[in-house]
């Protein structure tokens, strides 16, 4: 797992949403690289973080053919909306068990749902070619 790529994504998204960016994780079935806003890191222990990533992979596997069912194109990502955050999981196109998880503060100062859409576009256009 390339730690530098997590930093690249963090820097680009942080430039757009500032401290509303909570987490950037690049993961695959056996490893991950993570960057957290300090207060978010304190909220989760290692086992909880692994459980979140395992859930993201299972979700990707179980919904990988949804694009053909809904006839709306390829499924690019999942966005979960919580009281405090949007949590985006973006699947790496060449590996159904790999991708990025991005968490953005929902009740923050800057970020909007438009910024979540920007994250998907950024990952598609800037990061996918590097994978």
């Amino acid at each position: 797992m390339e730690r530098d790529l997590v930093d690249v994504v963090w820097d680009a998204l942080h430039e757009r949403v500032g401290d509303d960016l909570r987490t950037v994780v690049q993961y695959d079935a056996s490893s991950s690289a993570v960057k957290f806003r300090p207060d978010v890191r304190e909220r989760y222990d290692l086992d909880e973080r692994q459980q979140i990533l395992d859930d993201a992979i299972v979700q990707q596997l179980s919904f990988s053919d949804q694009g053909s069912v809904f006839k709306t194109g390829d499924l690019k990502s999942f966005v979960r909306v919580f009281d405090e955050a949007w949590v985006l999981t973006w699947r790496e196109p060449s590996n159904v068990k790999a991708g990025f998880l991005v968490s953005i503060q929902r009740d923050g100062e800057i970020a909007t749902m438009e910024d979540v859409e920007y994250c998907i576009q950024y990952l598609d256009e800037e990061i996918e070619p590097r994978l």
Side-chain angles (χ1 to χ4, degrees), residues 8-26:
V8 166
V9 173
W10 178 275
D11 291 345
L13 299 181
H14 192 269
E15 184 175 311
R16 182 169 174 113
V17 301
D19 288 339
D20 285 350
L21 184 59
R22 297 164 47 95
T23 310
V24 173
V25 182
Q26 183 184 16

Side-chain angles (χ1 to χ4, degrees), residues 61-128:
L61 289 169
S62 64
F63 290 108
S64 62
D65 64 347
Q66 291 294 301
S68 62
V69 172
F70 286 99
K71 299 181 183 174
T72 55
D74 293 334
L75 181 63
K76 298 269 186 183
S77 63
F78 298 96
V79 177
R80 291 182 251 185
V81 181
F82 296 94
D83 290 339
E84 297 178 15
W86 290 291
V87 177
L88 162 75
T89 51
W90 178 86
R91 192 190 117 200
E92 195 175 298
S94 62
N95 184 350
V96 73
K97 294 181 181 181
F100 278 83
L101 184 144
V102 176
S103 177
I104 297 174
Q105 197 71 31
R106 186 167 173 236
D107 59 353
E109 298 292 321
I110 297 172
T112 66
M113 189 61 176
E114 186 175 306
D115 296 308
V116 175
E117 185 68 32
Y118 170 83
C119 288
I120 298 167
Q121 180 181 350
Y122 175 79
L123 292 166
D124 285 346
E125 294 175 4
E126 301 295 327
I127 300 304
E128 181 180 341

